[in-house]
Amino acid sequence: MEQQVTAVAHANVALVKYFGKRDVRLNLPAAPSLSLTLKPLQTTTKLMFSNDKADVVIANGVAADEKFAGRICSFLHLFRQQSGNSQFLTVHTENNFPTAAGLASSAAGFAALTVGAARLFGLSLSESELSAWARRGSGSASRSVCGGIVHWQRGGSADGSDSFARSILPAGEWDLRILVGVTTRAPKEIGSTSAMEHTRTTSPYYRAWIDSATAAVDEAIEAVSKKDFERLGEVTEHSALSMHASLMAAQPPIVFLKGATIDVFHLTRTLRKEGIQAYFTCDAGPQPKILCQGKDANAVEARLRACSGVVDVIHCSLGEGAGLQTPE
Ligand code: DP6
């Protein structure tokens, strides 16, 4: 039996967002979503069996805080239950991008953890099963298991067995780019899990937001099948703005967008007026992201770097799904 494995997974950005659960414990989404798996944003996770009496989690070189470590331990417990192997683990996890700043670090983290833990505990799982397991750690992690352009279906069953993601277009088949405008490296003020529940329970716009998501995903899937970039971009912006509208209408309101974030939204519109096809999105944090095609990416990147309030730009393209790192 293997004693240690290393798994890698990329972050992802949703073009049609997941923001609402129909089951909180199982992370079952209230609606489907669609995302791009992004290289080079990557989590590398090494898992080792240990003789300790508890799991030990080291994140980016330091002992993980209690909350994060607790979340990982409960997740690993699912693997212990399923495999009948009660051993604890030492987990070293590293991100090559800022953690918890609206860059979907939990998605890459739980996707890597799932692929590694499944192997270590000897569970032979299909990609769909791995995705459904990753979903239990963090909803968006279900999408980071798969590569390229990814559709996470809502599913209807109470146990979540039909709520998993799959790739609808492999990474190499469309040269899409995401330029992340880093506006701050500080951790976000409120996590997406609590923000989702707060919105669901207090925002009068929540229902409308969820009701519009299925049609948006269908439209995005059709746009992908025809490689219709303009249509995909329009759905992307509409989904992001609708999600933030629902958040802002919560009581008390949640406003993730900062001045610099909105400035980038306007920059994107200006670029379109100049004939460059670019569309914005933004998750539960202040980092704006611009969607464009490879042919325009350098021009868009230069303009984004020149935007005041943007401290760095991360240039991403479509990445592969999560996998095991082969030993050297
Ligand atoms: C705004 O997957 O982090 O990035 O399931 O509670 O762990 P949990 O939430 P998480 O939420 C991601 C929210 C989002 C939109 C998206 O990625 O679809």
Side-chain angles (χ1 to χ4, degrees), residues 4-318:
Q4 73 171 60
V5 293
T6 300
V8 289
H10 292 118
N12 72 78
V13 64
L15 303 186
V16 181
K17 308 290 184 197
Y18 147 60
F19 213 78
K21 305 185 194 206
R22 65 186 167 88
D23 183 308
V24 174
R25 189 180 63 87
L26 294 174
N27 279 340
L28 295 178
S33 57
L34 186 123
S35 61
L36 308 181
T37 297
L38 300 178
K39 70 173 186 202
L41 304 179
Q42 182 172 298
T43 300
T44 304
T45 303
K46 185 167 153 191
L47 303 94
M48 289 166 280
F49 280 124
S50 82
N51 296 322
D52 287 344
K53 304 251 174 313
D55 295 314
V56 173
V57 182
I58 313 288
N60 297 314
V62 289
D65 66 58
E66 221 172 288
K67 194 171 156 215
F68 181 59
R71 211 170 145 193
I72 290 189
C73 298
S74 330
F75 184 65
L76 290 174
H77 201 58
L78 300 172
F79 289 84
R80 284 189 275 269
Q81 276 174 331
Q82 181 73 19
S83 65
N85 177 349
S86 57
Q87 268 181 292
F88 291 103
L89 301 187
T90 300
V91 176
H92 285 265
T93 184
E94 302 225 341
N95 293 336
N96 67 355
F97 58 95
T99 305
L103 285 169
S105 56
S106 67
F110 279 102
L113 196 63
T114 301
V115 169
R119 176 60 166 261
L120 208 54
F121 284 100
L123 306 178
S124 162
L125 303 173
S126 66
E127 187 177 83
S128 304
E129 288 167 329
L130 287 168
S131 169
W133 274 80
R135 190 202 73 229
R136 298 284 302 270
S138 179
S140 54
S142 64
R143 299 185 310 234
S144 273
V145 168
C146 314
I149 305 185
V150 178
H151 172 210
W152 174 16
Q153 60 193 35
R154 177 189 187 277
S157 71
D159 68 357
S161 52
D162 58 353
S163 185
F164 52 81
R166 62 181 140 213
S167 177
I168 59 165
L169 196 74
E173 296 209 2
W174 197 4
D175 188 10
L176 296 183
R177 305 290 174 94
I178 288 283
L179 296 157
V180 181
V182 180
T183 56
T184 171
R185 296 184 200 281
K188 55 192 182 188
E189 287 149 30
I190 170 167
S192 37
T193 311
S194 348
M196 264 183 224
E197 274 309 279
H198 178 66
T199 309
R200 183 179 70 77
T201 50
T202 69
S203 174
Y205 295 175
Y206 175 78
R207 202 57 257 168
W209 150 248
I210 292 299
D211 288 347
S212 64
T214 303
V217 166
D218 289 347
E219 194 174 345
I221 291 174
E222 201 180 314
V224 170
S225 72
K226 295 182 176 149
K227 297 207 177 143
D228 181 341
F229 183 72
E230 193 176 335
R231 199 160 160 211
L232 184 63
E234 277 166 10
V235 179
T236 298
E237 280 194 3
H238 192 250
S239 175
L241 290 175
S242 306
M243 180 188 83
H244 284 282
S246 170
L247 279 155
M248 288 188 216
Q251 286 164 326
I254 300 177
V255 184
F256 283 118
L257 310 175
K258 303 272 188 208
T261 325
I262 307 271
D263 286 345
V264 172
F265 290 1
H266 287 290
L267 166 70
T268 312
R269 293 179 160 198
T270 304
L271 289 170
R272 287 212 292 277
K273 284 198 192 112
E274 294 171 8
I276 297 178
Q277 284 186 313
Y279 296 87
F280 61 79
T281 186
C282 186
D283 291 309
Q287 325 288 22
K289 288 140 198 161
I290 302 183
L291 169 70
C292 66
Q293 297 171 91
K295 65 182 173 61
D296 297 320
N298 288 342
V300 175
E301 181 178 344
R303 295 289 288 277
L304 183 56
R305 280 194 189 278
C307 203
S308 83
V310 172
V311 296
D312 197 7
V313 173
I314 309 174
H315 189 143
C316 306
S317 51
L318 295 186

